[in-house]
Amino acid sequence: MQILETKIVYRDGDFVSFPNLALLKDGTIMCAFRHAPDRVEEFGDIHHLDPEAKDVFLYSHDGGHTFEQELHTILDEEMISNQDPCLTVLSGGRILSSSYRWIFAPVGEGPVVWGEKRYQQCGNRFFDKLDAFIGDANCSYSDDNGKTWKRGAETVCGIQVGKTSESQIVKLNNGVLRMFARNDGVYVAYA
């Protein structure tokens, strides 16, 4: 592979990371990534978990030469931080975005909400402001080129809480959708 060009497609002073590209059925390119506030001035550090982190995307309608600068959010859920979107476009045009989530609770309530043992295994603190728990691999989908998104019901089966995915969903020849969680292979049941 030969790299022909590198360019910045988006920058706004916040913490943007983990980009992923997909070619949509109409030729549009979608660039999805994690977007979160830059916490360096506030807390002296950037942290991978953040209650305001969202999976967002931009469009390019000219083959990736330029990208519109309007951010579109994949899912906006209160007290949930979706992380590291990976895009897959199915043959019918449906866009899948697989990611994983951090779930937040008021500080000190994590062990009550998720159970002491689970919190000890997978819990964390967000700058002593919130308790955080690494949730699960999850999948959202859009049937209208990203205008609207829905969380798939029971999309990821067999995955244990605390296991994350940073991989795309792949459609096998037999129609089965498959993705991998960290340290575990899992099948994705998708309706």
Side-chain angles (χ1 to χ4, degrees):
M1 175 173 40
Q2 179 183 8
I3 298 172
L4 300 176
E5 178 183 15
T6 60
K7 68 170 91 174
I8 295 172
V9 299
Y10 183 83
R11 180 182 286 167
D12 66 2
D14 282 336
F15 182 52
V16 295
S17 56
F18 311 108
N20 192 263
L21 294 173
L23 180 62
L24 307 186
K25 294 290 284 185
D26 68 358
T28 299
I29 295 175
M30 179 181 281
C31 178
F33 51 93
R34 177 184 184 267
H35 186 273
D38 183 341
R39 301 285 188 180
V40 172
E41 191 170 312
E42 184 178 3
F43 297 121
D45 195 8
I46 293 175
H47 204 289
H48 191 68
L49 59 108
D50 192 300
E52 295 181 50
K54 303 292 178 212
D55 287 346
V56 299
F57 63 93
L58 308 167
Y59 293 112
S60 172
H61 299 288
D62 60 7
H65 296 289
T66 62
F67 282 82
E68 296 175 354
Q69 295 300 290
E70 179 183 357
L71 291 179
H72 305 276
T73 302
I74 293 176
L75 283 181
D76 192 1
E77 302 172 285
E78 189 173 339
M79 297 295 278
I80 293 178
S81 168
N82 291 302
Q83 304 282 324
D84 308 357
C86 295
L87 302 173
T88 301
V89 180
L90 301 179
S91 59
R94 176 171 278 183
I95 306 165
L96 305 178
S97 175
S98 56
S99 61
Y100 69 96
R101 304 184 294 171
W102 280 97
I103 304 166
F104 295 87
V107 71
E109 293 186 21
V112 174
V113 173
W114 302 299
E116 183 69 41
K117 183 178 178 184
R118 287 175 66 194
Y119 185 73
Q120 291 302 318
Q121 291 174 333
C122 302
N124 210 325
R125 280 271 164 92
F126 174 70
F127 296 108
D128 289 326
K129 305 285 183 192
L130 295 167
D131 282 350
F133 184 76
I134 194 160
D136 56 3
N138 65 92
C139 179
S140 303
Y141 66 94
S142 175
D143 289 321
D144 55 11
N145 274 4
K147 291 181 183 76
T148 60
W149 292 86
K150 296 178 184 172
R151 179 174 304 289
E154 300 298 318
T155 53
V156 181
C157 301
I159 193 165
Q160 298 175 2
V161 171
K163 301 293 184 184
T164 63
S165 176
E166 295 157 339
S167 65
Q168 289 176 294
I169 295 172
V170 176
K171 185 173 184 179
L172 304 178
N173 289 336
N174 63 2
V176 170
L177 300 174
R178 185 172 183 135
M179 68 183 286
F180 288 90
R182 195 175 290 161
N183 300 323
D184 288 339
V186 294
Y187 282 98
V188 176
Y190 198 82

